[in-house]
Short mmCIF file of all heavy atoms in Angstrom, two decimals:
data_model
loop_
_atom_site.label_atom_id
_atom_site.label_comp_id
_atom_site.label_asym_id
_atom_site.label_seq_id
_atom_site.Cartn_x
_atom_site.Cartn_y
_atom_site.Cartn_z
N ILE A 1 -34.45 12.16 13.07
CA ILE A 1 -35.31 12.21 11.89
C ILE A 1 -34.68 11.33 10.83
O ILE A 1 -33.50 11.46 10.52
CB ILE A 1 -35.47 13.64 11.37
CG1 ILE A 1 -36.29 14.47 12.36
CG2 ILE A 1 -36.13 13.65 10.01
CD1 ILE A 1 -36.44 15.92 11.97
N ASP A 2 -35.46 10.42 10.27
CA ASP A 2 -34.92 9.49 9.27
C ASP A 2 -34.97 10.10 7.87
O ASP A 2 -33.97 10.23 7.21
CB ASP A 2 -35.70 8.18 9.30
CG ASP A 2 -35.17 7.18 8.28
OD1 ASP A 2 -34.00 7.31 7.85
OD2 ASP A 2 -35.91 6.25 7.91
N VAL A 3 -36.15 10.49 7.43
CA VAL A 3 -36.32 10.99 6.07
C VAL A 3 -36.73 12.45 6.11
O VAL A 3 -37.58 12.85 6.91
CB VAL A 3 -37.40 10.18 5.32
CG1 VAL A 3 -37.63 10.75 3.92
CG2 VAL A 3 -36.99 8.70 5.25
N MET A 4 -36.14 13.24 5.24
CA MET A 4 -36.58 14.63 5.02
C MET A 4 -36.68 14.87 3.53
O MET A 4 -35.94 14.27 2.74
CB MET A 4 -35.60 15.64 5.62
CG MET A 4 -35.56 15.67 7.13
SD MET A 4 -34.60 17.07 7.78
CE MET A 4 -35.77 18.43 7.52
N GLY A 5 -37.60 15.75 3.19
CA GLY A 5 -37.73 16.02 1.76
C GLY A 5 -38.88 16.94 1.46
O GLY A 5 -39.30 17.73 2.30
N TRP A 6 -39.38 16.81 0.22
CA TRP A 6 -40.38 17.73 -0.30
C TRP A 6 -41.49 17.00 -1.05
O TRP A 6 -41.22 16.07 -1.82
CB TRP A 6 -39.70 18.72 -1.25
CG TRP A 6 -38.68 19.56 -0.58
CD1 TRP A 6 -37.36 19.28 -0.43
CD2 TRP A 6 -38.90 20.80 0.08
NE1 TRP A 6 -36.73 20.28 0.28
CE2 TRP A 6 -37.65 21.23 0.60
CE3 TRP A 6 -40.01 21.62 0.27
CZ2 TRP A 6 -37.51 22.43 1.30
CZ3 TRP A 6 -39.87 22.80 0.97
CH2 TRP A 6 -38.63 23.21 1.47
N TYR A 7 -42.70 17.46 -0.81
CA TYR A 7 -43.86 17.09 -1.59
C TYR A 7 -44.45 18.37 -2.17
O TYR A 7 -44.09 19.47 -1.75
CB TYR A 7 -44.91 16.40 -0.71
CG TYR A 7 -44.61 14.96 -0.38
CD1 TYR A 7 -43.55 14.61 0.45
CD2 TYR A 7 -45.42 13.93 -0.89
CE1 TYR A 7 -43.28 13.28 0.76
CE2 TYR A 7 -45.17 12.60 -0.58
CZ TYR A 7 -44.10 12.29 0.23
OH TYR A 7 -43.85 10.97 0.53
N ARG A 8 -45.35 18.21 -3.13
CA ARG A 8 -46.04 19.38 -3.68
C ARG A 8 -47.48 19.04 -4.02
O ARG A 8 -47.83 17.89 -4.23
CB ARG A 8 -45.33 19.91 -4.93
CG ARG A 8 -45.38 18.99 -6.13
CD ARG A 8 -44.52 19.53 -7.27
NE ARG A 8 -44.55 18.67 -8.44
CZ ARG A 8 -43.77 18.83 -9.52
NH1 ARG A 8 -42.90 19.83 -9.57
NH2 ARG A 8 -43.87 18.00 -10.53
N GLN A 9 -48.31 20.10 -4.06
CA GLN A 9 -49.72 19.92 -4.39
C GLN A 9 -50.16 21.06 -5.28
O GLN A 9 -50.12 22.23 -4.87
CB GLN A 9 -50.58 19.85 -3.13
CG GLN A 9 -52.02 19.48 -3.42
CD GLN A 9 -52.79 19.11 -2.17
OE1 GLN A 9 -52.40 19.44 -1.06
NE2 GLN A 9 -53.89 18.40 -2.34
N ALA A 10 -50.57 20.71 -6.50
CA ALA A 10 -51.11 21.68 -7.43
C ALA A 10 -52.63 21.75 -7.25
O ALA A 10 -53.24 20.79 -6.77
CB ALA A 10 -50.76 21.30 -8.85
N PRO A 11 -53.26 22.84 -7.66
CA PRO A 11 -54.72 22.97 -7.51
C PRO A 11 -55.45 21.82 -8.18
O PRO A 11 -55.18 21.48 -9.34
CB PRO A 11 -55.02 24.30 -8.20
CG PRO A 11 -53.77 25.09 -8.08
CD PRO A 11 -52.66 24.08 -8.21
N GLY A 12 -56.36 21.20 -7.44
CA GLY A 12 -57.17 20.12 -7.98
C GLY A 12 -56.47 18.79 -8.12
O GLY A 12 -57.03 17.85 -8.67
N LYS A 13 -55.25 18.71 -7.61
CA LYS A 13 -54.48 17.46 -7.72
C LYS A 13 -54.07 16.98 -6.33
O LYS A 13 -53.98 17.79 -5.40
CB LYS A 13 -53.25 17.67 -8.59
CG LYS A 13 -53.55 17.98 -10.04
CD LYS A 13 -52.28 18.02 -10.86
CE LYS A 13 -52.59 18.25 -12.33
NZ LYS A 13 -51.34 18.26 -13.17
N PRO A 14 -53.80 15.68 -6.18
CA PRO A 14 -53.34 15.19 -4.88
C PRO A 14 -51.89 15.59 -4.61
O PRO A 14 -51.14 15.93 -5.54
CB PRO A 14 -53.46 13.66 -5.04
CG PRO A 14 -53.35 13.42 -6.51
CD PRO A 14 -53.97 14.60 -7.18
N ARG A 15 -51.54 15.55 -3.34
CA ARG A 15 -50.16 15.84 -2.98
C ARG A 15 -49.26 14.72 -3.51
O ARG A 15 -49.60 13.55 -3.42
CB ARG A 15 -50.04 15.95 -1.45
CG ARG A 15 -48.73 16.49 -0.96
CD ARG A 15 -48.76 16.75 0.54
NE ARG A 15 -49.74 17.78 0.89
CZ ARG A 15 -49.83 18.30 2.13
NH1 ARG A 15 -48.99 17.90 3.08
NH2 ARG A 15 -50.76 19.20 2.37
N GLU A 16 -48.11 15.10 -4.05
CA GLU A 16 -47.21 14.12 -4.64
C GLU A 16 -45.78 14.34 -4.15
O GLU A 16 -45.37 15.46 -3.84
CB GLU A 16 -47.23 14.21 -6.17
CG GLU A 16 -46.75 15.52 -6.74
CD GLU A 16 -46.68 15.52 -8.26
OE1 GLU A 16 -47.05 14.52 -8.90
OE2 GLU A 16 -46.22 16.55 -8.81
N LEU A 17 -45.03 13.24 -4.14
CA LEU A 17 -43.62 13.31 -3.76
C LEU A 17 -42.84 14.05 -4.83
O LEU A 17 -43.06 13.86 -6.03
CB LEU A 17 -43.06 11.89 -3.59
CG LEU A 17 -41.60 11.77 -3.20
CD1 LEU A 17 -41.41 10.56 -2.27
CD2 LEU A 17 -40.70 11.63 -4.41
N VAL A 18 -41.92 14.91 -4.37
CA VAL A 18 -40.99 15.58 -5.28
C VAL A 18 -39.61 14.94 -5.12
O VAL A 18 -39.03 14.43 -6.08
CB VAL A 18 -40.91 17.08 -5.00
CG1 VAL A 18 -39.87 17.74 -5.91
CG2 VAL A 18 -42.27 17.74 -5.16
N ALA A 19 -39.09 14.99 -3.90
CA ALA A 19 -37.77 14.41 -3.63
C ALA A 19 -37.62 14.22 -2.13
O ALA A 19 -38.03 15.09 -1.36
CB ALA A 19 -36.65 15.30 -4.16
N VAL A 20 -37.03 13.10 -1.74
CA VAL A 20 -36.74 12.85 -0.34
C VAL A 20 -35.36 12.25 -0.22
O VAL A 20 -34.83 11.65 -1.17
CB VAL A 20 -37.78 11.91 0.33
CG1 VAL A 20 -39.14 12.58 0.42
CG2 VAL A 20 -37.86 10.58 -0.38
N ARG A 21 -34.78 12.42 0.97
CA ARG A 21 -33.45 11.89 1.24
C ARG A 21 -33.43 11.33 2.64
O ARG A 21 -33.83 12.01 3.60
CB ARG A 21 -32.40 13.00 1.08
CG ARG A 21 -30.96 12.50 1.24
CD ARG A 21 -29.97 13.61 1.04
NE ARG A 21 -28.60 13.12 1.14
CZ ARG A 21 -27.70 13.27 0.21
NH1 ARG A 21 -27.98 13.89 -0.91
NH2 ARG A 21 -26.47 12.80 0.37
N SER A 22 -32.94 10.10 2.78
CA SER A 22 -32.86 9.50 4.10
C SER A 22 -31.61 9.99 4.83
O SER A 22 -30.70 10.57 4.23
CB SER A 22 -32.82 7.97 3.99
OG SER A 22 -31.55 7.56 3.52
N ARG A 23 -31.57 9.72 6.11
CA ARG A 23 -30.39 10.10 6.91
C ARG A 23 -29.13 9.44 6.34
O ARG A 23 -28.06 10.04 6.36
CB ARG A 23 -30.61 9.72 8.37
CG ARG A 23 -29.41 9.94 9.27
CD ARG A 23 -29.77 9.74 10.73
NE ARG A 23 -30.59 10.81 11.24
CZ ARG A 23 -30.12 11.94 11.75
NH1 ARG A 23 -28.81 12.12 11.83
NH2 ARG A 23 -30.94 12.86 12.21
N GLY A 24 -29.28 8.26 5.83
CA GLY A 24 -28.13 7.54 5.27
C GLY A 24 -27.77 7.93 3.85
O GLY A 24 -26.78 7.45 3.31
N GLY A 25 -28.59 8.79 3.23
CA GLY A 25 -28.25 9.28 1.90
C GLY A 25 -29.05 8.70 0.76
O GLY A 25 -28.84 9.07 -0.40
N THR A 26 -29.99 7.79 1.04
CA THR A 26 -30.81 7.24 -0.03
C THR A 26 -31.73 8.32 -0.60
O THR A 26 -32.39 9.03 0.15
CB THR A 26 -31.66 6.07 0.48
OG1 THR A 26 -30.79 5.05 1.00
CG2 THR A 26 -32.51 5.48 -0.63
N LEU A 27 -31.75 8.40 -1.93
CA LEU A 27 -32.51 9.44 -2.60
C LEU A 27 -33.70 8.86 -3.36
O LEU A 27 -33.65 7.73 -3.84
CB LEU A 27 -31.63 10.18 -3.61
CG LEU A 27 -30.40 10.90 -3.07
CD1 LEU A 27 -29.53 11.37 -4.21
CD2 LEU A 27 -30.83 12.08 -2.22
N ASN A 28 -34.76 9.65 -3.45
CA ASN A 28 -35.90 9.27 -4.26
C ASN A 28 -36.46 10.54 -4.89
O ASN A 28 -36.83 11.47 -4.17
CB ASN A 28 -36.97 8.58 -3.40
CG ASN A 28 -38.08 7.97 -4.24
OD1 ASN A 28 -37.96 7.85 -5.46
ND2 ASN A 28 -39.15 7.58 -3.60
N TYR A 29 -36.50 10.57 -6.21
CA TYR A 29 -37.02 11.71 -6.95
C TYR A 29 -38.24 11.30 -7.77
O TYR A 29 -38.28 10.19 -8.31
CB TYR A 29 -35.99 12.26 -7.94
CG TYR A 29 -34.83 13.00 -7.35
CD1 TYR A 29 -33.62 12.37 -7.10
CD2 TYR A 29 -34.93 14.37 -7.06
CE1 TYR A 29 -32.54 13.06 -6.58
CE2 TYR A 29 -33.85 15.07 -6.56
CZ TYR A 29 -32.66 14.42 -6.32
OH TYR A 29 -31.59 15.12 -5.80
N ALA A 30 -39.19 12.21 -7.93
CA ALA A 30 -40.25 12.00 -8.90
C ALA A 30 -39.64 12.01 -10.29
O ALA A 30 -38.70 12.78 -10.57
CB ALA A 30 -41.29 13.10 -8.78
N ASP A 31 -40.15 11.18 -11.17
CA ASP A 31 -39.63 11.12 -12.54
C ASP A 31 -39.70 12.49 -13.22
O ASP A 31 -38.83 12.85 -14.02
CB ASP A 31 -40.41 10.10 -13.37
CG ASP A 31 -40.10 8.67 -12.98
OD1 ASP A 31 -39.05 8.44 -12.34
OD2 ASP A 31 -40.90 7.78 -13.32
N SER A 32 -40.73 13.25 -12.89
CA SER A 32 -40.95 14.53 -13.56
C SER A 32 -39.89 15.58 -13.22
O SER A 32 -39.78 16.60 -13.92
CB SER A 32 -42.33 15.07 -13.22
OG SER A 32 -42.45 15.27 -11.83
N VAL A 33 -39.12 15.36 -12.15
CA VAL A 33 -38.13 16.37 -11.74
C VAL A 33 -36.70 15.87 -11.87
O VAL A 33 -35.76 16.65 -11.64
CB VAL A 33 -38.39 16.87 -10.31
CG1 VAL A 33 -39.84 17.34 -10.15
CG2 VAL A 33 -38.04 15.82 -9.26
N LYS A 34 -36.51 14.60 -12.19
CA LYS A 34 -35.16 14.05 -12.31
C LYS A 34 -34.35 14.83 -13.35
O LYS A 34 -34.83 15.13 -14.43
CB LYS A 34 -35.22 12.58 -12.70
CG LYS A 34 -35.63 11.66 -11.58
CD LYS A 34 -35.68 10.21 -12.03
CE LYS A 34 -36.10 9.29 -10.89
NZ LYS A 34 -36.22 7.87 -11.33
N GLY A 35 -33.13 15.16 -12.98
CA GLY A 35 -32.26 15.93 -13.85
C GLY A 35 -32.44 17.43 -13.75
O GLY A 35 -31.63 18.19 -14.28
N ARG A 36 -33.50 17.87 -13.08
CA ARG A 36 -33.75 19.31 -12.92
C ARG A 36 -33.67 19.76 -11.47
O ARG A 36 -33.23 20.88 -11.19
CB ARG A 36 -35.12 19.66 -13.48
CG ARG A 36 -35.31 19.34 -14.95
CD ARG A 36 -36.63 19.88 -15.48
NE ARG A 36 -37.80 19.31 -14.81
CZ ARG A 36 -38.72 20.02 -14.17
NH1 ARG A 36 -38.62 21.33 -14.10
NH2 ARG A 36 -39.76 19.42 -13.61
N PHE A 37 -34.11 18.92 -10.55
CA PHE A 37 -34.13 19.26 -9.13
C PHE A 37 -33.05 18.46 -8.40
O PHE A 37 -32.79 17.30 -8.74
CB PHE A 37 -35.48 18.92 -8.51
CG PHE A 37 -36.63 19.78 -8.96
CD1 PHE A 37 -36.53 20.65 -10.03
CD2 PHE A 37 -37.85 19.69 -8.31
CE1 PHE A 37 -37.60 21.43 -10.44
CE2 PHE A 37 -38.93 20.47 -8.70
CZ PHE A 37 -38.81 21.32 -9.77
N THR A 38 -32.48 19.08 -7.37
CA THR A 38 -31.48 18.40 -6.54
C THR A 38 -31.80 18.64 -5.07
O THR A 38 -31.96 19.78 -4.65
CB THR A 38 -30.07 18.92 -6.84
OG1 THR A 38 -29.78 18.73 -8.23
CG2 THR A 38 -29.04 18.18 -6.00
N ILE A 39 -31.88 17.56 -4.31
CA ILE A 39 -32.13 17.66 -2.88
C ILE A 39 -30.83 17.48 -2.14
O ILE A 39 -30.01 16.63 -2.50
CB ILE A 39 -33.19 16.63 -2.42
CG1 ILE A 39 -33.58 16.86 -0.97
CG2 ILE A 39 -32.71 15.20 -2.65
CD1 ILE A 39 -34.77 16.04 -0.50
N SER A 40 -30.63 18.28 -1.12
CA SER A 40 -29.47 18.12 -0.25
C SER A 40 -29.93 18.24 1.20
O SER A 40 -30.97 18.84 1.48
CB SER A 40 -28.40 19.17 -0.57
OG SER A 40 -28.91 20.48 -0.43
N ARG A 41 -29.12 17.67 2.08
CA ARG A 41 -29.55 17.60 3.48
C ARG A 41 -28.33 17.75 4.39
O ARG A 41 -27.27 17.22 4.10
CB ARG A 41 -30.25 16.28 3.72
CG ARG A 41 -30.71 16.06 5.15
CD ARG A 41 -31.49 14.77 5.28
NE ARG A 41 -31.75 14.47 6.67
CZ ARG A 41 -32.44 13.41 7.09
NH1 ARG A 41 -32.93 12.55 6.21
NH2 ARG A 41 -32.62 13.19 8.37
N ASP A 42 -28.53 18.44 5.48
CA ASP A 42 -27.52 18.56 6.53
C ASP A 42 -28.08 17.87 7.76
O ASP A 42 -28.95 18.43 8.44
CB ASP A 42 -27.20 20.03 6.79
CG ASP A 42 -26.06 20.21 7.78
OD1 ASP A 42 -25.91 19.38 8.68
OD2 ASP A 42 -25.32 21.20 7.64
N ASN A 43 -27.62 16.66 8.04
CA ASN A 43 -28.16 15.90 9.16
C ASN A 43 -27.89 16.58 10.50
O ASN A 43 -28.72 16.54 11.41
CB ASN A 43 -27.58 14.49 9.17
CG ASN A 43 -28.07 13.64 8.02
OD1 ASN A 43 -29.15 13.85 7.48
ND2 ASN A 43 -27.26 12.67 7.62
N ALA A 44 -26.74 17.18 10.63
CA ALA A 44 -26.37 17.81 11.90
C ALA A 44 -27.27 19.01 12.20
O ALA A 44 -27.61 19.26 13.36
CB ALA A 44 -24.92 18.23 11.87
N ARG A 45 -27.63 19.74 11.16
CA ARG A 45 -28.46 20.94 11.35
C ARG A 45 -29.95 20.66 11.16
O ARG A 45 -30.77 21.55 11.37
CB ARG A 45 -28.03 22.02 10.36
CG ARG A 45 -26.60 22.51 10.59
CD ARG A 45 -26.20 23.50 9.50
NE ARG A 45 -24.83 23.94 9.63
CZ ARG A 45 -24.48 25.04 10.27
NH1 ARG A 45 -25.40 25.81 10.82
NH2 ARG A 45 -23.22 25.39 10.36
N ASN A 46 -30.28 19.45 10.73
CA ASN A 46 -31.68 19.10 10.44
C ASN A 46 -32.30 20.08 9.44
O ASN A 46 -33.39 20.62 9.66
CB ASN A 46 -32.52 19.05 11.71
CG ASN A 46 -32.30 17.77 12.49
OD1 ASN A 46 -32.26 16.68 11.92
ND2 ASN A 46 -32.14 17.89 13.80
#
């Protein structure tokens, strides 16, 4: 698995990215959650 992460969908709105992390450690956060949310990943345990 290359990328794992989280999306969210509020009522009446499209699904949006929250945070994802690649196997190599590249991170991508939605601007709305930066500084508040933290994503972590265990590649061995998936």
Side-chain angles (χ1 to χ4, degrees):
I1 291 177
D2 181 21
V3 177
M4 291 190 76
W6 298 89
Y7 282 68
R8 67 186 180 188
Q9 187 167 19
K13 294 186 177 181
R15 191 172 296 189
E16 63 175 2
L17 179 145
V18 177
V20 293
R21 184 178 182 124
S22 74
R23 174 172 288 273
T26 301
L27 299 170
N28 189 13
Y29 287 96
D31 288 341
S32 61
V33 308
K34 285 180 180 177
R36 301 187 298 122
F37 291 11
T38 302
I39 187 171
S40 59
R41 178 176 172 179
D42 185 328
N43 291 334
R45 296 175 183 266
N46 282 316

